[in-house]
Amino acid sequence: MKHLVQKTLVVGKCLLLSTALVCTGSFAAAQTDTGTRAENTVTIKFDESDGITGELLSFSNNTLRLNSSVGTVTIPADDVTCIGAACPESLRLQVASSPIVLTSIDGAITLAGDLIAVTDTEYVVATAAGELRIEIDKVTCQGEGCVVEVSAPAFGGPVVLSNGATEIAGNLVGVDENSYLVEVENLGAIRVQLETFTCTGDGCPAN
């Protein structure tokens, strides 16, 4: 199983927003000096609890040592399960193969893993860097593990947004409840209100 994050590697409870991945818990940018820490990141779970996420320091004498957001903790390995590539095989959480790929609405951030559960508001995903919780309404979901398989958004490409005498030409890269996100030459990405502009062109969302 691969864990893919295009911009950053994130550990903890995360919210995929339209332009960023916001997390509580430890955060490791995908830089060389944090590579080892990221590879050793796991989530230790107790029954149905959220668990503890951090860097696995050691596993010996049936005891786990973890460098977490609250410091170094020692956890007896009885009745716990472990999520992450660095987990001891005997403690690894066994989940049915339900691979999914979650992509932020604007397509800027993507991560992959196995679906553990779906709550009213979140996907709970097992990844190589531990357990991640992602808000359902911030992403599109693709794969066997999705509750409802969602194909790639039916938009993207050249558009012209019109509002009377005002026209904005560019490439549509995102849509949310209130606005279009359009990449305009020499200006970058700009946000335009849905209610006040009409979209024409091959990149417009399907009605």
Side-chain angles (χ1 to χ4, degrees):
M1 177 181 65
K2 293 183 179 179
H3 174 69
L4 303 175
V5 176
Q6 293 176 348
K7 290 189 174 180
T8 54
L9 180 61
V10 186
V11 179
K13 183 171 181 178
C14 303
L15 308 176
L16 269 168
L17 306 179
S18 59
T19 56
L21 193 57
V22 177
C23 304
T24 58
S26 57
F27 178 97
Q31 305 292 332
T32 340
D33 58 347
T34 58
T36 302
R37 181 181 304 172
E39 290 174 4
N40 291 331
T41 297
V42 299
T43 299
I44 305 299
K45 292 183 69 70
F46 311 86
D47 299 324
E48 299 301 320
S49 67
D50 285 345
I52 298 175
T53 297
E55 180 189 3
L56 182 62
L57 301 176
S58 66
F59 173 54
S60 61
N61 300 321
N62 203 41
T63 300
L64 297 150
R65 288 183 65 245
L66 205 68
N67 184 17
S68 72
S69 59
V70 295
T72 300
V73 294
T74 302
I75 303 169
D78 297 325
D79 301 319
V80 302
T81 54
C82 181
I83 301 172
C87 289
E89 190 62 37
S90 60
L91 301 180
R92 195 179 301 275
L93 177 68
Q94 300 299 317
V95 296
S97 181
S98 300
I100 62 172
V101 176
L102 300 178
T103 304
S104 60
I105 298 301
D106 67 355
I109 301 171
T110 298
L111 64 86
D114 283 332
L115 187 66
I116 299 174
V118 179
T119 71
D120 290 341
T121 59
E122 296 175 322
Y123 290 109
V124 184
V125 185
T127 77
E131 177 184 288
L132 299 180
R133 291 174 173 263
I134 310 297
E135 284 192 357
I136 292 172
D137 61 357
K138 305 300 183 183
V139 296
T140 59
C141 178
Q142 293 177 285
E144 298 174 5
C146 295
V147 177
V148 177
E149 183 140 347
V150 179
S151 59
F155 63 81
V159 297
V160 176
L161 302 179
S162 305
N163 178 7
T166 303
E167 287 192 350
I168 300 171
N171 284 312
L172 186 66
V173 295
V175 178
D176 59 29
E177 293 180 359
N178 303 309
S179 57
Y180 298 109
L181 186 64
V182 184
E183 189 79 27
V184 179
E185 189 175 358
N186 298 326
L187 293 178
I190 64 172
R191 196 169 290 277
V192 179
Q193 286 190 340
L194 274 168
E195 294 181 356
T196 55
F197 280 82
T198 302
C199 183
T200 57
D202 294 339
C204 294
N207 294 328

